[in-house]
Amino acid sequence: MFDVADPAVWIALDESVRHGVRSSADGTWQRTEQGRTPTDAQLALALCRRDGRIRERALGEVAGRPELLPLVVIRCADWAEPVRDRARTRWAEAVTVETATALAPLALRIGVRYRGDFAVGLIDKVLRSADREALLPLLTHADRTVRRFAHRLAVEEGFLSPAELARSAARDEDTVVQGLCAEAALAALAEGEADDDVLEPLLAARNPRVRSAGVTALRRAGRGERAVGFLGDRASVVRACARYVVRRSGGEPVEWYRRRCAEAGDAALSAGVVSGLAECGDRSDAEVLWALTSCPDPVVRARAVGGLRALDVLDVRRLRALLDDPAPGVVREATLALVPSARMLDDGWLLERLAVERARETRVSAFRLLSAHGGLVRLRAAVALVDDPDDRLRNWARQSVLRWHPTADVPPGSVEVGELLERARLFDAYRLKRLKWEAGLRA
């Protein structure tokens, strides 16, 4: 009737029978007790029954019925002590390497329950004493919890070689498994030992954490010069590890970054190189970054603006021009840099960029900067967008109007405030009158 290999269906069966209404299964169990051997289906229902006495008696019938072992595992965490004790006895009698491997996914799900660690403990004990082949299916299981359990056991028992651990770290999508296997693989390498079967999978891994572990290991392996190739990595953690290894090898990463970024015409210049210069450079590198804001690559331009912000270099005039850049990433970075100085921008110029024909990223940027002005400027911008065709901008603007209150820089009794509030058409009569009163207007 269902996929018996799926732990979720056994848990769902137990819960549905336990919390379901009384059915003919109650009478069926009583009749089978009077001389006839119950079927597997009848025992399965009895093992899930709400009455603990029926669950306990059913556990006495499960010997020699491996199909019902999943329900025995569930009963090992039963709230009723007699049921729990009998289930644990049955599980201890039935557990083998094969059943431990097959039921590990279910046991790990039950293991998070109160008193649910017994079944997992037995599985752990059995698999530790088994051959490594018994653990292999669990190392590639679809459930990440199962993979974590299997890899942790494999590391502790030494079932996997350093090369196998490195491949697992590079292949697995779970960050816990990646970190566990990468650390174990590198711990197995002696100082000065360079094993390509370990280092190469780590250095080629997609996950930045695994790559950074491989880059850090280059120093121990005596290959610090290879870390230069990772100074421009797309991930900041890998770049940081590469800079550490290069410095320990006698190099100076910042000079390398400066040379590469100065070659503005270099088509091979990557965004990671630009970010690296901002991460370890100083404000004297600002002109190099400004030059890169006109690079043909939009990602490089965005990283250059982000680098200027990281170095706390602010030129409102030059940054304002980047709000019209065709690349959304550049506009976002320029906006983040300008928000603290939003009041230095001409609000009329920004209001022009709210027009529907403008690029969406430019409109969002303009509204964000106008909102940072506060006061009357914020209200003007929000009211201008209360009927905007862009759903997100319209909702954002309406929320801004609804939350607006006059501040100290709003002239008391400003007629424009009253006109804007009425044009918004978002307030009932009482709320509108109250806001006008706050703004110094009298009805």
Side-chain angles (χ1 to χ4, degrees):
M1 296 288 293
F2 52 74
D3 182 7
V4 296
D6 186 356
V9 300
W10 291 105
I11 296 173
L13 173 66
D14 178 52
E15 292 178 351
S16 61
V17 174
R18 180 77 61 87
H19 300 295
V21 297
R22 291 177 62 85
S23 67
S24 59
D26 301 348
T28 300
W29 173 251
Q30 296 297 334
R31 288 194 298 273
T32 55
E33 277 193 328
Q34 298 172 3
R36 288 187 296 174
T37 303
T39 64
D40 285 352
Q42 291 167 339
L43 268 180
L45 293 175
L47 286 167
C48 302
R49 284 285 311 286
R50 188 180 305 175
D51 190 331
R53 291 167 296 182
I54 295 179
R55 297 200 302 277
E56 183 183 3
R57 288 198 296 272
L59 284 166
E61 303 285 342
V62 298
R65 303 193 191 209
E67 296 82 1
L68 297 178
L69 283 178
L71 291 173
V72 174
V73 170
I74 294 175
R75 294 281 73 82
C76 286
D78 200 282
W79 68 271
E81 185 176 359
V83 178
R84 188 169 64 248
D85 290 345
R86 176 167 282 195
R88 290 179 175 184
T89 300
R90 292 290 175 266
W91 177 235
E93 294 170 351
V95 66
T96 62
V97 174
E98 291 75 18
T99 56
T101 303
L103 295 180
L106 175 61
L108 287 166
R109 288 201 182 191
I110 301 301
V112 300
R113 297 182 180 179
Y114 181 52
R115 305 189 186 95
D117 57 347
F118 181 84
V120 179
L122 272 182
I123 289 175
D124 182 272
K125 182 178 179 181
V126 169
L127 292 180
R128 286 180 186 275
S129 59
D131 295 333
R132 55 167 274 162
E133 284 70 21
L135 201 61
L136 295 181
L138 300 182
L139 294 173
T140 56
H141 197 276
D143 190 331
R144 66 179 182 181
T145 304
V146 177
R147 297 201 306 276
R148 290 175 182 179
F149 168 80
H151 281 94
R152 190 172 290 112
L153 193 153
V155 168
E156 293 174 358
E157 295 299 318
F159 286 157
L160 299 178
S161 68
E164 290 173 320
L165 288 168
R167 288 194 293 271
S168 293
R171 179 185 63 243
D172 203 285
E173 297 179 354
D174 182 61
T175 56
V176 174
V177 174
Q178 292 166 358
L180 178 70
C181 292
E183 291 173 7
L186 296 178
L189 292 179
E191 187 74 27
E193 181 179 343
D195 190 337
D196 289 340
D197 291 336
V198 176
L199 290 177
E200 294 305 328
L202 298 179
L203 294 173
R206 293 181 59 188
N207 183 270
R209 182 177 179 183
V210 179
R211 286 204 309 282
S212 65
V215 171
T216 305
L218 290 173
R219 185 186 66 83
R220 290 181 54 196
R223 297 185 177 183
E225 69 282 354
R226 281 200 61 186
V228 174
F230 294 88
L231 288 173
D233 194 273
R234 61 183 180 272
S236 60
V237 63
V238 180
R239 294 195 297 269
C241 291
R243 289 195 293 270
Y244 164 77
V245 175
V246 170
R247 289 190 186 104
R248 293 299 298 268
S249 302
E252 189 51 58
V254 68
E255 296 301 328
W256 183 89
Y257 285 126
R258 285 168 177 162
R259 286 195 304 271
R260 293 299 303 276
C261 288
E263 301 169 0
D266 186 1
L269 181 64
S270 69
V273 174
V274 180
S275 296
L277 177 60
E279 289 163 352
C280 66
D282 53 43
R283 301 187 72 178
S284 65
D285 299 307
E287 283 306 316
V288 174
L289 294 174
W290 278 119
L292 293 176
T293 59
S294 58
C295 178
D297 188 341
V299 181
V300 170
R301 294 202 304 274
R303 294 291 183 90
V305 179
L308 290 167
R309 181 166 58 87
L311 295 175
D312 196 23
V313 175
L314 179 67
D315 187 324
V316 174
R317 181 184 58 82
R318 297 172 79 175
L319 285 172
R320 191 186 78 161
L322 296 174
L323 296 179
D324 292 327
D325 194 281
V330 177
V331 178
R332 284 194 292 269
E333 288 291 347
T335 304
L336 288 173
L338 286 170
V339 164
S341 307
R343 288 176 177 267
M344 297 175 64
L345 295 169
D346 178 26
D347 57 286
W349 184 86
L350 290 173
L351 283 168
E352 292 175 2
R353 275 142 186 81
L354 295 180
V356 177
E357 61 271 14
R358 295 279 185 173
R360 185 182 187 280
E361 201 61 43
T362 299
R363 301 180 72 216
V364 171
S365 169
F367 184 59
R368 182 172 182 180
L369 292 168
L370 287 165
S371 297
H373 271 75
L376 187 54
V377 173
R378 173 185 166 188
L379 183 61
R380 287 177 190 147
V383 172
L385 296 177
V386 290
D387 294 318
D388 197 83
D390 187 299
D391 291 341
R392 297 186 65 180
L393 262 177
R394 182 177 64 252
N395 292 332
W396 185 11
R398 291 185 176 188
Q399 290 298 318
S400 182
V401 173
L402 290 171
R403 295 172 181 170
W404 185 86
H405 287 277
T407 54
D409 56 346
V410 177
S414 172
V415 176
E416 183 183 5
V417 171
E419 293 174 349
L420 289 171
L421 293 175
E422 290 179 0
R423 194 194 313 167
R425 302 186 308 278
L426 297 177
F427 303 102
D428 56 32
Y430 172 78
R431 177 68 173 147
L432 180 60
K433 182 178 180 179
R434 174 109 184 154
L435 273 175
K436 286 184 175 181
W437 179 83
E438 289 183 20
L441 295 169
R442 295 293 182 264

